[in-house]
């Protein structure tokens, strides 16, 4: 009894378990299965799990066996797992393995059906042999979800950043430095939109270019000049005959108007600085005055290519050298094919291949006699004769008559009206003369404002600003440019101007 008793329980338990597994593997009709109809319905997964050739003991401890199955069958195994006996309990301890098999079967994000089709018996057997990823399963799951989670978290922030108002500039920055090198600092203030206006300015030394650009962009005549966005000449610089601006300065307003202030053309102070400080000239230039003139031509040719409007400032009427300089810069301007042109008012017409900006002649520090209608008509006639052979759009887009500055003049008084505008002397400069005009025999007249013969300086600046902002915005290149595209386009133009063969040949002829 003791021998049969010792052998009977051991043989009975192991034999019964072994017979039960063998019976599951060689199951007959559904009626003979003791596990009930649920096991008959889910019979293929049980056969796949127990079909291994390894001994049954280690198989119960090796939980990665379930990873060998395609995702489609793995989901079906998870349902009957509630009725699995204690030997199959480890299967319920790793439900997170469902995500891992999805990554192993195919790319992240593929459905279980597609993964089950792509996975074959080869990869299943490799994983059954124990080749498992070294990282934890929860890290793989987070990695698979990071793409969708990050996109949903970043996209709203990117969308809101586009809706934020552009950063407001408080002062100008360098677009081209004093060494004639391009600067990249202006890129952060530009946006991806096409509604912009580019205004440049050129003129001789001391004509008030920086002051005018500050008044047109962000300042008022009542403000202190030390707070202007473009720094004007200080009293010390005026006394020693120096220049304040060097290179090209950049400023963009909230109305998306780009202002480019430049160093004086044909400047004697720059020439004096080159001579007295023994600055080394580039190898292609032999004489300092040739280098100064070529710098001025490069800046003017650059503005004629990248600006919608170019303002030519003079403080007296008129200097013939300025018009010769403009014609030379127009001749040396790089070719810029444009798809659309506005030939209205251009005496040279439209040749269909070149872009030419609108040019405005600004008479700064104008006297009272300059506002006389007869003198004004003569000034328009002279400018029209001097620019008769130019392709620059110098007429038809700005009018002092339309500004109601001369209410008694008819629209046809200026038959050859060019883009000419007059700015008087600023009030704080001529205030003493106005006060003295009312003093003398009749002291009571000193209480009244003196006779100017023209509107106030603030009124004239406001009218000029409205005229400049209303200028036509022609297409600068063969494609429509955004602000950022314009910056890259301007950088290429500046590089092309510095390496221009026409400018090099012209500088050789000057020597």
């Amino acid at each position: 009894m003791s021998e049969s008793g010792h052998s009977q329980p051991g043989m009975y338990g192991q034999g019964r378990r072994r017979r039960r597994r063998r019976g599951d593997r060689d199951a007959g009709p559904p009626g003979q299965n003791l596990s009930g109809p649920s096991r008959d319905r889910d019979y293929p997964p049980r056969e796949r799990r127990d079909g291994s050739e390894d001994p049954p003991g280690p198989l119960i401890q090796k939980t990665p066996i379930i990873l060998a199955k395609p995702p489609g069958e793995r989901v079906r195994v998870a349902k009957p797992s509630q009725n699995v006996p204690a030997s199959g309990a480890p299967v319920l301890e790793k439900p997170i393995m469902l995500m891992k098999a999805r990554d192993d079967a195919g790319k992240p994000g593929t459905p279980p059906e597609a993964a089950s089709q792509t996975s074959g018996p080869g990869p299943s057997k490799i994983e059954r042999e124990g080749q498992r990823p070294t990282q934890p399963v929860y890290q793989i799951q987070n990695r698979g979800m990071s793409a969708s989670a990050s996109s949903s978290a970043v996209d709203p922030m990117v969308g809101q950043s586009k809706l934020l108002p552009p950063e407001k500039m408080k002062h100008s920055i360098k677009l081209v430095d004093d060494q004639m090198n391009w600067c990249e600092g202006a890129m952060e203030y530009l946006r991806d939109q096409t509604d912009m206006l580019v205004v440049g300015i050129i003129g001789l030394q001391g004509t008030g270019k920086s002051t005018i650009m500050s008044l047109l962009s962000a300042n008022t005549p009542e403000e202190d000049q030390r707070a202007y966005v473009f720094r004007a000449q200080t009293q010390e610089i005026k006394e020693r005959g120096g220049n304040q601006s060097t290179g090209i300065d950049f400023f963009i307003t909230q109305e998306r108007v780009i202002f480019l202030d430049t160093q004086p053309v044909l400047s004697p102070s720059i020439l004096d600085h080159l001579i007295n400080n023994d600055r080394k000239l580039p190898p292609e230039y032999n004489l300092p005055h040739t280098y100064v003139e070529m710098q001025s031509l490069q800046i003017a040719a650059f503005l004629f290519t990248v600006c919608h409007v170019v303002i030519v400032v003079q403080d007296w009427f008129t200097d013939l050298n300025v018009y010769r300089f403009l014609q030379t810069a127009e001749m040396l301007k790089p070719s810029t094919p444009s798809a659309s042109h506005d030939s209205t008012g251009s005496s040279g017409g439209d040749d269909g291949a070149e872009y030419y900006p609108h040019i405005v002649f600004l008479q700064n520090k104008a006297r009272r006699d300059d506002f006389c209608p007869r003198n004004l008509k003569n000034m328009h006639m002279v400018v029209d004769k001097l620019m008769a052979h130019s392709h620059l759009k110098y007429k038809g887009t700005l009018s002092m008559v339309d500004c109601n500055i001369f209410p008694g003049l008819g629209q046809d008084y200026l038959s050859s009206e060019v883009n000419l505008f007059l700015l008087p002397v600023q009030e704080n400069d001529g205030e003493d003369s106005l006060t003295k005009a009312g003093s003398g025999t009749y002291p009571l007249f000193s209480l009244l404002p003196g006779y100017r013969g023209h509107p106030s300086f603030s009124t004239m600046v406001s009218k000029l600003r409205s005229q400049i902002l209303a200028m036509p915005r022609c297409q600068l290149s063969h494609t429509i440019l955004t602000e950022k595209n314009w910056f890259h386009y301007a950088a290429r133009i500046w590089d092309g101007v510095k390496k221009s063969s026409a400018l090099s040949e012209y500088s050789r002829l000057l020597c």
Side-chain angles (χ1 to χ4, degrees), residues 33 35-44 46 80 83:
N33 197 340
S35 301
S38 62
R39 184 165 298 184
D40 295 335
R41 186 172 60 251
D42 297 324
Y43 173 74
R46 295 282 300 176
N83 299 329

Side-chain angles (χ1 to χ4, degrees), residues 204-229:
L204 299 177
Q205 181 175 325
T207 55
K209 300 182 301 300
S210 300
T211 302
I212 292 171
M213 294 298 274
S214 299
L215 296 176
L216 292 178
S217 57
N219 300 109
T220 60
E222 293 77 14
E223 296 182 28
D224 188 2
Q225 292 190 0
R226 292 174 294 183
Y228 283 2
V229 293

Side-chain angles (χ1 to χ4, degrees), residues 64-240:
I65 298 175
I66 198 66
L67 299 178
K69 297 185 179 181
E73 295 184 6
R74 187 172 303 120
V75 175
R76 293 192 304 179
V77 171
K79 293 182 180 179
S81 60
Q82 299 177 358
N83 299 329
V84 177
S87 59
V91 179
L92 296 176
E93 297 178 359
K94 301 288 184 180
I96 200 169
M97 289 297 185
L98 296 176
M99 293 298 298
K100 178 178 180 300
R102 189 176 182 181
D103 294 337
D104 295 337
K107 296 182 179 179
T110 55
E113 293 79 10
S116 61
Q117 294 177 4
T118 56
S119 60
S124 301
K125 185 170 183 179
I126 290 176
E127 287 199 2
R128 189 184 301 128
E129 291 176 0
Q131 296 185 4
R132 302 174 60 184
T134 57
Q135 296 183 355
V137 177
Y138 67 88
Q139 292 187 5
I140 299 178
Q141 179 181 2
N142 293 339
R143 186 186 307 163
M145 297 175 62
S146 61
S148 60
S150 61
S151 62
S152 61
V154 172
D155 290 342
M157 297 179 63
V158 173
Q160 292 202 356
S161 64
K162 293 182 178 180
L163 297 177
L164 292 176
E167 184 178 357
K168 184 178 180 179
M169 293 187 67
K170 298 181 181 179
H171 56 83
S172 61
I173 59 176
K174 286 293 180 184
L175 189 68
V176 176
D177 60 11
D178 55 349
Q179 301 296 328
M180 298 293 114
N181 297 321
W182 187 261
C183 303
E184 300 288 339
M187 189 64 181
E188 59 180 293
Y189 297 98
L190 301 177
R191 304 184 70 85
D192 288 322
Q193 63 93 25
T194 58
D195 188 13
M196 64 176 179
L197 177 67
V198 186
V199 181
I201 191 169
I202 56 176
L204 299 177
Q205 181 175 325
T207 55
K209 300 182 301 300
S210 300
T211 302
I212 292 171
M213 294 298 274
S214 299
L215 296 176
L216 292 178
S217 57
N219 300 109
T220 60
E222 293 77 14
E223 296 182 28
D224 188 2
Q225 292 190 0
R226 292 174 294 183
Y228 283 2
V229 293
F230 295 101
R231 293 188 59 187
Q233 282 182 328
T234 62
Q235 188 63 30
E236 180 184 357
I237 294 178
K238 290 180 181 179
E239 291 175 355
R240 70 166 186 259

Side-chain angles (χ1 to χ4, degrees), residues 288-363:
H289 67 84
T290 303
Y291 179 59
V292 172
E293 184 173 354
M294 293 309 300
Q295 273 189 349
S296 303
L297 288 173
Q298 288 175 357
I299 292 175
F302 171 75
L303 294 184
F304 287 167
T305 310
V306 302
C307 293
H308 297 101
V309 182
V310 177
I311 303 174
V312 180
V313 185
Q314 302 179 81
D315 56 355
W316 63 286
F317 190 86
T318 183
D319 192 351
L320 295 180
N321 292 324
V322 173
Y323 294 93
R324 293 194 186 98
F325 173 80
L326 293 177
Q327 293 172 3
T328 305
E330 178 187 353
M331 176 184 64
L332 300 175
K333 185 183 79 70
S335 300
T336 314
S338 177
S340 63
H341 298 271
D342 185 9
S343 59
T344 304
S346 178
S347 61
D350 185 8
D351 56 3
E354 296 290 332
Y355 167 78
Y356 295 98
H358 298 274
I359 187 168
V360 176
F361 295 95
L362 181 60
Q363 184 75 24

